[in-house]
Amino acid sequence: MSDQLDQTIVARDGRILLFSCQRFIDDIVMGNGCLICGAFPHDKQFNDEHIVPRWLLKRYNLFDKTVILPTGEHRHYRSYTVPCCVECNSLLGVQVETPVSQLLDGKFEDLVQRLDEANLRLLFTWLSLLFFKVHLKDRTVRVHKDRRLGHEVIGDIYDWGDMHHLHAVARSPFTKASLMPETIGSLQIFEIDGALSSDGYDYLDFTFDQTLICRLGRIGIVATLNDSTAAESAWSERLDLIEGPISELQLREVGAMFAVANRNLISRPTFMSLVHDKTTVMIAGTRPPLKLKEFDPEGFGHALLFAVRNFVDARAISVNGTRDPKTVAAAIETGYVRFLTMDGKFIPPAANQDAGG
């Protein structure tokens, strides 16, 4: 039955169909509840959920490798987990991880052929789940290793209410919610030719813009999760210039493009979860006309530098004939450096391409 105090909606079979925003924060974010059903360890058996799923760890041999946390701390992928009960872990495996692993297996052309409307929603749900798990983990990542300096955690700076809708999408396999077209954000998939990092798996996100960049071998994905396709609409003319595979560097630029477009939206989409008769859930939204703030080159430059900073520091990027990190970073920060297009034409990918301002 509905909890009249927090407006959480519970199905007749006991499943929470809709967490109120406050209960989402109390039980999932601040508490130790299962990220999917909300149960606590004293009520159900837990085995926790790998943030980067096991099939990815196995496919790219990541079990003994480390992920770099926002504080610079390294943590093994195998112990990079968030609270999840056994039942929900199994459900995610069957309904999300296994079909997504199959969807993303093989060549880029195979993925394109498989990506019908149902698989697009599946992939979007998986990306929402991945993004949410990454940031839920930040509730336990201390800003200071030395506790004498304070007990703050990375997650303290997040607006968790802004992730309430994202959580509803991420757990939609559990609630059996239908995702309406307006809830699907910008999502572009590319073939990658010219990776600058050695690992087959790579992930980066713009937290406050709910935009992520994910590379799985020769498949690159950029998604904005809360813009109802505004970013890809805003950049459609530039995206239409892409004539084939892109480099990892160019993938990062598309990510910066999407993040900046999302933060520059004047009229944002709104989302809602509609529950009928405590049985059926539909996640819907409204998509306003596309209106953006005036483009700020320096704002874009800062976003692009954030996306490619590790490559700059590794001297893997050349701008106007130099690889000096300070000079390259300063050029990128102006907002006039491009890796994807130049003078209205697509730049073919090359690992050692020289970008111009």
Side-chain angles (χ1 to χ4, degrees):
M1 59 181 293
S2 296
D3 185 326
Q4 297 299 324
L5 295 178
D6 65 15
Q7 297 181 330
T8 291
I9 299 177
V10 182
R12 292 183 176 88
D13 61 7
R15 290 177 301 131
I16 295 180
L17 297 178
L18 176 64
F19 281 92
S20 68
C21 188
Q22 189 59 54
R23 187 163 175 182
F24 157 68
I25 293 173
D26 291 344
D27 292 2
I28 306 298
V29 178
M30 307 302 294
N32 196 35
C34 169
L35 84 154
I36 299 298
C37 71
F40 292 99
H42 58 263
D43 295 322
K44 296 176 70 174
Q45 184 180 356
F46 274 50
N47 61 358
D48 291 342
E49 163 77 357
H50 282 91
I51 295 173
V52 179
R54 291 182 64 88
W55 66 268
L56 268 179
L57 300 182
K58 182 177 181 180
R59 183 172 295 180
Y60 296 107
N61 193 27
L62 298 173
F63 282 101
D64 293 322
K65 295 184 179 180
T66 58
V67 59
I68 302 176
L69 301 178
T71 57
E73 176 187 353
H74 287 248
R75 189 166 299 181
H76 281 98
Y77 278 105
R78 63 173 179 267
S79 60
Y80 189 46
T81 61
V82 287
C84 187
C85 73
V86 172
E87 289 182 13
C88 290
N89 202 329
S90 297
L91 179 142
L92 290 177
V94 172
Q95 296 196 19
V96 180
E97 299 300 349
T98 296
V100 168
S101 70
Q102 295 168 348
L103 175 66
L104 297 176
D105 192 19
K107 299 180 180 180
F108 173 76
E109 293 81 4
D110 299 328
L111 171 58
V112 172
Q113 291 181 356
R114 298 169 185 151
L115 206 59
D116 56 16
E117 185 175 336
N119 278 330
L120 177 65
R121 279 167 168 70
L122 171 67
L123 181 59
F124 184 77
T125 299
W126 180 73
L127 293 169
S128 299
L129 176 64
L130 177 61
F131 182 95
F132 180 71
K133 290 189 294 183
V134 166
H135 295 291
L136 181 62
K137 184 65 176 180
D138 289 343
R139 280 295 311 153
T140 65
V141 178
R142 292 184 176 275
V143 175
H144 309 288
K145 289 185 178 181
D146 186 343
R147 299 193 179 194
R148 293 173 299 178
L149 299 177
H151 298 278
E152 297 89 352
V153 294
I154 296 295
D156 287 341
I157 66 174
Y158 298 161
D159 179 359
W160 289 102
D162 195 42
M163 295 198 191
H164 184 227
H165 161 70
L166 181 70
H167 179 244
V169 174
R171 67 190 295 266
S172 60
F174 174 80
T175 61
K176 302 177 183 178
S178 300
L179 304 183
M180 295 296 100
E182 294 78 11
T183 65
I184 306 300
S186 296
L187 176 56
Q188 292 283 307
I189 303 172
F190 305 94
E191 182 177 11
I192 302 299
D193 181 11
L196 296 177
S197 53
S198 58
D199 290 336
Y201 171 77
D202 190 33
Y203 175 91
L204 175 78
D205 70 50
F206 294 81
T207 302
F208 301 103
D209 304 302
Q210 291 197 20
T211 297
L212 63 87
I213 305 162
C214 187
R215 181 174 65 81
L216 301 92
R218 290 178 62 88
I219 295 174
I221 303 171
V222 178
T224 298
L225 305 173
N226 65 343
D227 73 333
S228 192
T229 70
E232 61 184 37
S233 296
W235 292 104
S236 60
E237 291 186 5
R238 183 169 296 183
L239 294 172
D240 287 344
L241 296 175
I242 299 176
E243 299 174 341
I246 66 175
S247 70
E248 186 173 16
L249 197 57
Q250 292 171 319
L251 182 73
R252 296 288 184 99
E253 182 174 340
V254 175
M257 289 160 52
F258 277 26
V260 168
N262 194 29
R263 75 181 63 161
N264 284 345
L265 281 181
I266 294 176
S267 299
R268 299 204 57 81
T270 57
F271 305 103
M272 63 213 76
S273 293
L274 307 175
V275 182
H276 175 69
D277 197 30
K278 299 181 184 177
T279 57
T280 306
V281 182
M282 179 176 68
I283 303 177
T286 60
R287 180 185 292 157
L290 180 62
K291 294 182 180 180
L292 299 171
K293 299 175 185 176
E294 183 177 354
F295 181 74
D296 173 20
E298 288 190 4
F300 176 77
H302 287 297
L304 181 57
L305 181 59
F306 171 79
V308 303
R309 184 85 223 201
N310 56 330
F311 300 139
V312 172
D313 293 341
R315 295 176 178 268
I317 298 177
S318 173
V319 176
N320 296 327
T322 181
R323 295 179 184 271
D324 174 68
K326 289 186 178 179
T327 304
V328 171
I332 292 174
E333 282 186 313
T334 66
Y336 292 102
V337 170
R338 297 289 184 272
F339 304 104
L340 187 66
T341 62
M342 181 67 68
D343 298 326
K345 295 182 180 180
F346 173 63
I347 303 173
N352 296 314
Q353 75 181 44
D354 178 82

